[in-house]
Amino acid sequence: MKFYSTNNNANIVAFDTAVRQGLAYDKGLFMPESIPDLDQEFLANIGNYSLPEVAIEILRPYVQGHISEATLETLCSDAFNFELPLVEVETNVYSLELYHGPTLAFKDFGARFMARVLGELNAGGDQQNTILVATSGDTGSAVASGFYKVPNTRVVILYPKGKVSTLQEKQMTTLGENISALAIEGNFDDCQRLVKQAFLDKDLAEKYGLTSANSINLARLLPQMLYYFYAVGKLQAAGKPIIFSVPSGNYGNLTAGLIASKMGLPIDHFLAAANANKIIPEYLKTGKFEPKPSIKTISNAMDVGDPSNFARMNSLFDGELSKFRRKITGYSFNDAETRDGIAFLKEQYNYIADPHGAIGYLALKEYMASHNVTGVFLETAHPIKFREEVEPVIQEQLILPDILKPVMDKPVIATTCGTSYEEFAAVLKGML
Ligand SMILES: *Cc1c(COP(=O)(O)O)cnc(C)c1O
């Protein structure tokens, strides 16, 4: 299997190169050259496979030639070793809880797989990689946890000092070993600028094997197909069309669902559930893709004004609006509606959703008012990660999950650094 860049069909690379580069040199996103059809026997019996077994079946065609069958097996059982509950919230409406991984957000699926893939690609050789990540919170914690103790791999996380939650800071800074953190005395944009400049600094980039673990990386995208397969496996016996409502920001999650569907998974329709950053719902309405500066909301992991995976979706739909519309319906909800959604779920069904999941639920309810389907909304984060928003709405204190307790007791270890590139480069060299 080869992968092409969405900016140039002739820019074709193998799996290992696509993973190491992350973004193609022409700034396009990598896509599989052809999307393989899965075996009918497997598709009819997904419900009988465990989570790691499903992962092996669906990821095999993409990694073939680079990762052996035995390694793929180890890698999948190691990466996907947590629960994936499908909770029936009301009749025919399910919450697929993607937040039972170690950092309590769905980004664990992608980060844990990518970390192990990169470790494997580097194993035995003298290739060393240094992952540089700029984060406003969730991505940094998932990458830190995913790459913890992966051989031949260092991770340096840049976060804006004083601008992430205590929980997020603890998750990024208390691991030690191959994970280091830089608290940048600026905002998220400063962190991102320093990382981008480091990649362009050839001496530095080559000497330390700098790589990005950005969410556009193919090795983070592909494993996100896993939970769509798993949920369909649990629901398809009921015989109704199955639809997924996907709380979306950069649209990696929804794109993975589209690829799963193209591999033969029977998904009838997708809902693009957005907050006030409604670039894709607007595109579906007007046919115009118009990126805008992002707007701050209470579902902040979806505050994206220029969703990069539009390029991938456009490529899957041959750039045709009618094909987009056949497969996706867009919805957008503001913060007040999101809070009402959280309150409604709690009052009616005693279910506690986070702000992202609540938007998924609201979109689903609107669609299901006129469609007789089985609906699944993706619950992308544990409500505790957004306790400042959730607790006042449900008027109840959330309980800290056991998995977080040891982290909260450890001291923050981070190096403080200014926002000039010279200072950052010197600090980085000192660490590596
Ligand atoms: C990243 C994230 C999203 C958005 O996912 P995309 O793949 O960028 O659309 C939604 N919810 C949570 C909690 C996230 O961390």
Side-chain angles (χ1 to χ4, degrees):
M1 168 83 67
K2 296 272 197 257
F3 301 86
Y4 68 91
S5 159
T6 51
N7 276 354
N8 177 2
N9 290 1
N11 181 359
I12 289 168
V13 300
F15 178 71
D16 56 342
T17 308
V19 174
R20 287 207 174 93
Q21 278 183 21
L23 192 68
Y25 288 139
D26 61 19
K27 303 212 160 45
L29 275 62
F30 288 115
M31 277 295 279
E33 240 190 343
S34 61
I35 294 182
D37 287 325
L38 286 169
D39 187 56
Q40 286 304 321
E41 172 76 22
F42 166 71
L43 288 171
N45 293 292
I46 310 168
N48 300 329
Y49 288 67
S50 71
L51 193 60
E53 285 167 350
V54 176
I56 294 161
E57 291 304 312
I58 64 176
L59 293 168
R60 181 187 292 121
Y62 300 100
V63 304
Q64 222 153 34
H66 298 273
I67 291 177
S68 72
E69 182 72 16
T71 306
L72 183 64
E73 281 173 21
T74 319
L75 209 143
C76 288
S77 41
D78 200 31
F80 309 116
N81 63 350
F82 46 87
E83 304 275 291
L84 178 49
L86 181 67
V87 180
E88 187 166 19
V89 173
E90 57 182 282
T91 312
N92 273 327
V93 174
Y94 294 82
S95 169
L96 183 58
E97 295 182 350
L98 305 181
Y99 60 71
H100 295 270
T103 73
L104 309 183
F106 91 95
K107 290 187 173 66
D108 280 328
F109 282 89
R112 288 174 69 77
F113 184 73
M114 178 183 167
R116 282 156 184 79
V117 164
L118 201 60
E120 183 55 34
L121 293 177
N122 288 344
D126 47 11
Q127 280 253 32
Q128 272 267 356
N129 275 114
T130 301
I131 312 278
L132 274 190
V133 216
T135 183
S136 53
D138 268 358
T139 296
S141 27
V143 169
S145 159
F147 283 82
Y148 182 54
K149 291 189 179 171
V150 168
N152 295 321
T153 311
R154 290 283 315 251
V155 176
V156 180
I157 299 164
L158 286 74
Y159 68 94
K161 189 173 179 168
K163 295 197 173 72
V164 300
S165 74
T166 308
L167 174 57
Q168 287 171 328
E169 185 170 39
K170 293 272 188 183
Q171 285 182 310
M172 293 188 279
T173 59
T174 56
L175 289 169
E177 299 271 349
N178 61 329
I179 314 292
S180 316
L182 282 179
I184 303 292
E185 294 171 305
N187 56 26
F188 171 65
D189 295 332
D190 291 312
C191 300
Q192 203 156 31
R193 174 178 49 80
L194 292 173
V195 167
K196 281 190 180 156
Q197 209 164 337
F199 286 125
L200 298 174
D201 186 338
K202 263 224 151 118
D203 291 341
L204 197 77
E206 276 172 18
K207 179 151 183 227
Y208 299 109
L210 296 187
T211 305
S212 125
N214 193 296
S215 68
I216 47 101
N217 197 298
L218 202 68
R220 283 186 57 179
L221 181 81
L222 295 173
Q224 293 177 1
M225 294 191 292
L226 174 56
Y227 36 81
Y228 291 96
F229 278 93
Y230 190 74
V232 170
K234 298 263 177 256
L235 297 171
Q236 66 184 356
K240 275 193 188 188
I242 299 170
I243 71 150
F244 282 88
S245 177
V246 189
S248 294
N250 217 8
Y251 286 82
N253 206 352
L254 203 152
T255 301
L258 293 172
I259 299 176
S261 156
K262 244 193 162 166
M263 289 176 84
L265 188 67
I267 299 175
D268 194 65
H269 203 69
F270 292 90
L271 310 183
N275 57 27
N277 297 278
K278 49 182 175 181
I279 310 299
I280 298 289
E282 283 297 311
Y283 168 74
L284 290 163
K285 204 184 285 173
T286 65
K288 294 202 187 87
F289 179 69
E290 295 181 326
K292 296 195 170 74
S294 65
I295 300 165
K296 197 170 153 37
T297 74
I298 61 166
S299 47
N300 60 26
M302 317 201 296
D303 293 351
V304 180
D306 187 1
S308 28
N309 282 293
F310 180 71
R312 283 194 170 116
M313 294 196 280
N314 211 33
S315 151
L316 283 167
F317 292 129
D318 309 312
E320 290 178 34
L321 180 62
S322 59
K323 289 189 184 169
F324 266 92
R325 284 177 172 161
R326 223 169 292 146
K327 205 71 190 169
I328 311 176
T329 304
Y331 294 92
S332 149
F333 298 94
N334 64 28
D335 283 350
E337 291 165 326
T338 308
R339 290 195 177 95
D340 287 348
I342 296 172
F344 181 83
L345 277 167
K346 173 69 179 151
E347 279 158 24
Q348 294 292 314
Y349 304 110
N350 200 25
Y351 188 79
I352 302 177
D354 95 296
H356 305 80
I359 288 181
Y361 173 75
L362 290 170
L364 195 54
K365 289 299 282 183
E366 255 189 63
Y367 185 85
M368 287 178 76
S370 55
H371 295 83
N372 182 16
V373 295
T374 295
V376 181
F377 67 97
L378 302 188
E379 183 32 307
T380 49
H382 193 298
I384 194 92
K385 294 200 89 170
F386 297 89
R387 68 187 311 169
E388 295 82 359
E389 301 300 339
V390 175
E391 287 178 346
V393 174
I394 61 168
Q395 291 174 7
E396 189 178 303
Q397 271 214 317
L398 296 171
I399 299 159
L400 194 71
D402 288 341
I403 198 169
L404 291 180
K405 284 180 187 150
V407 176
M408 291 308 273
D409 292 339
K410 286 193 195 156
V412 167
I413 299 177
T415 307
T416 300
C417 176
T419 57
S420 88
Y421 183 69
E422 290 66 33
E423 182 180 348
F424 164 67
V427 170
L428 190 64
K429 282 179 195 160
M431 296 169 87
L432 299 176

